[in-house]
Amino acid sequence: MNDDVAVLGVGMHPWGKWGRPFVGYGVAAAKAALADAGVPWSDIDFVVGGETVRNGYAGYVAGSTMARALGWNGARVATCYAACASGSAAIEAARTRILAGLSDLALVVGADTTPKGFLAPNAGERWDDPDWLRFRLIGATNPTYFGLYARRRMDLYGAGPADFAMVKVKNARHGLHNPNARYRKEVAAEDVMASPVVADPLRLLDICATSDGSAAVVLASMDAARRLSSDPVRIRAVSTVTPRFPNTALDMPDIATDSAASVPAPAQGFRASIAAAAYEEAGLGPEDLSLAEVYDLSTALELDWCEDIGLCSPGEAEKLLHEGVTSLGGRVPVNPSGGLACFGEAVPAQAIAQVCEVTWQLRGAAGPRQVEGARVGLTINQGLFGHGSCVILAK
Amino acid sequence: MPAAVPVIEGWFTVDEPPALLGGRCPACGTYQFPPTGTWCPNPGCDSDQMATVPLSRTGRVWSYTDAQYQPPAPYVSPSDPYRPFAIAAVSLEKEQIVILGQVADGFGVGDLHVGAPVELVVEPLERDGEQTKLVWRWRPISGAGDHEGEAR
């Protein structure tokens, strides 16, 4: 039985801060992906949008918003929201419909227009909304959580600000020649360590910006793909797992963890379990990876992910970084696109953008940032409220 | 109208000494904070009751950070200009739960480390007209077992 789905086309609108409506970015990415696939919009039988919650009703129904903007073609439609994991949830909706034999050609689009500064809840009083309450009662922003995780690396493993800064230096170098990246310039470790503290120990340049941006993919059944492409990149696994009780690491936007008083914590934490489920589905392991795109909301968080996807044991990611293993030219480049450090965060597009990058890499079409001989790539991120997101792609 | 009230009902007491209020499942002993559920969060337990109980008043720092820039609304700054504050996630031994809170007035990240002992206090979060809104906070316990805990 073949459980693969082909990635026929990928596309993005360059990421930045233009303040234009998100629909335009989404249409640009969709048209780029359709052109890349060589598939006319009229042949798409399923369109899935990643929802944006900051752009009114059109954002809540992003799938149909994109379908309408491209010109109604009668395709079936869905919209997925899983916060930062929305894109992989959307990809999974398309993939499962294709694998069920109900669709041949699907378009997945995520696009966002993001205000400057901290991401914040929409206006209004909601005393039963945990995301609203963490701001109201504690003033806990997203960087608060990044700061908590970074500090644990320092106090438990002896990591320091210079280690975190090196992640930024590496990713800035990776993104230098990426035409879709928002930031394309070298950053020195001293620049990072001289930038103002936002959430101790993290500084402004340790934390990703919020961006306008979009990404799209055209997925196809292997039968449909064979008619259009000789050797398409394939999706081998998608993991959209939730945590197992009790989840004892404090996840955004929670004010408290689960209690492990009656049931011991699982051996594997939530983040590691996201990758483990994908590896199991693909029949592959960390030793098979040529590259990984991980969710570097902060520099320190990239180090956590390197461990969670099994590149090294807990506490060893700094060593991997300094040995150059995760740099372009190293054994497993991490974030060859430049990552969020160069793109910033555009929530519903994020996971799709990661899949675009891995696809370009596996095609050998990544230009100056190409990972030599790339065969297998992994994307991983996590959406708040317990959304896992991991995609494994192979040639 | 009382001069000082909790910013949110039912999450903590303001007696001396104050305590966070959690849910506790009478069947399996699982705790929950905030105490908003009326069923047990343990998927292996069928209980549809949670008793409200005071939680341990002391714990150890799981991690900590601060807010050097003013958080966006609905956060309300008690001072103008804005004054940064620290935040700690604290692990309670008996309940096996980690709970986030601001760090008590007058303490910053320099007073904390992973594993440091802290205790629960209640302090003003903001003034709303004539009324003070109270919130739970974590205060470092000076000198007590500073170098115990998971970090060492």
Side-chain angles (χ1 to χ4, degrees), chain A residues 306-356:
Chain A
C306 288
E307 295 162 4
D308 291 325
I309 66 173
L311 298 185
C312 61
S313 305
E316 291 181 356
E318 286 80 6
K319 186 164 170 279
L320 219 60
L321 171 73
H322 294 302
E323 287 172 350
V325 173
T326 57
S327 297
L328 273 172
R331 182 169 51 81
V332 194
V334 170
N335 287 329
S337 69
L340 271 60
C342 294
F343 275 74
E345 189 185 11
V347 172
Q350 217 76 56
I352 302 170
Q354 291 180 317
V355 169
C356 291

Side-chain angles (χ1 to χ4, degrees), chain A residues 22-38:
Chain A
F22 78 102
V23 184
Y25 307 140
V27 167
K31 288 187 178 220
L34 289 164
D36 185 45

Side-chain angles (χ1 to χ4, degrees), chain B residues 21-148:
Chain B
L21 296 172
R24 184 178 182 277
C25 173
C28 77
T30 289
Y31 289 87
Q32 187 176 48
F33 182 83
T36 44
T38 54
W39 59 94
C40 179
N42 172 5
C45 177
D46 286 336
S47 170
D48 58 2
Q49 291 178 40
M50 293 293 276
T52 301
V53 296
L55 301 181
S56 299
R57 295 197 55 259
T58 60
R60 288 186 182 278
V61 171
W62 181 81
S63 195
Y64 59 98
T65 182
D66 61 13
Q68 290 288 333
Y69 288 81
Q70 181 171 334
Y75 174 77
V76 179
S77 176
S79 65
D80 183 14
Y82 169 74
R83 215 158 38 106
F85 58 92
I87 295 174
V90 172
S91 178
L92 306 184
E93 174 71 24
K94 185 176 76 170
E95 293 84 357
Q96 291 289 298
I97 193 171
V98 173
I99 299 178
L100 195 63
Q102 293 181 349
V103 173
D105 248 340
F107 296 91
V109 292
D111 303 307
L112 299 165
H113 59 80
V114 172
V118 293
E119 67 176 332
L120 188 92
V121 295
V122 163
E123 294 184 340
L125 176 66
E126 81 212 23
R127 288 195 60 79
D128 181 6
E130 288 305 294
Q131 201 165 51
T132 298
K133 296 285 176 68
L134 302 170
V135 75
W136 78 92
R137 283 183 177 153
W138 298 111
R139 183 167 68 196
I141 303 173
S142 54
D146 263 7
H147 294 283
E148 291 169 27

Side-chain angles (χ1 to χ4, degrees), chain A residues 370-389:
Chain A
Q370 180 63 46
V371 175
E372 286 308 313
R375 303 285 310 172
V376 177
L378 170 147
T379 74
I380 195 156
N381 84 7
Q382 176 185 355
L384 48 78
F385 291 110
H387 289 100
S389 162

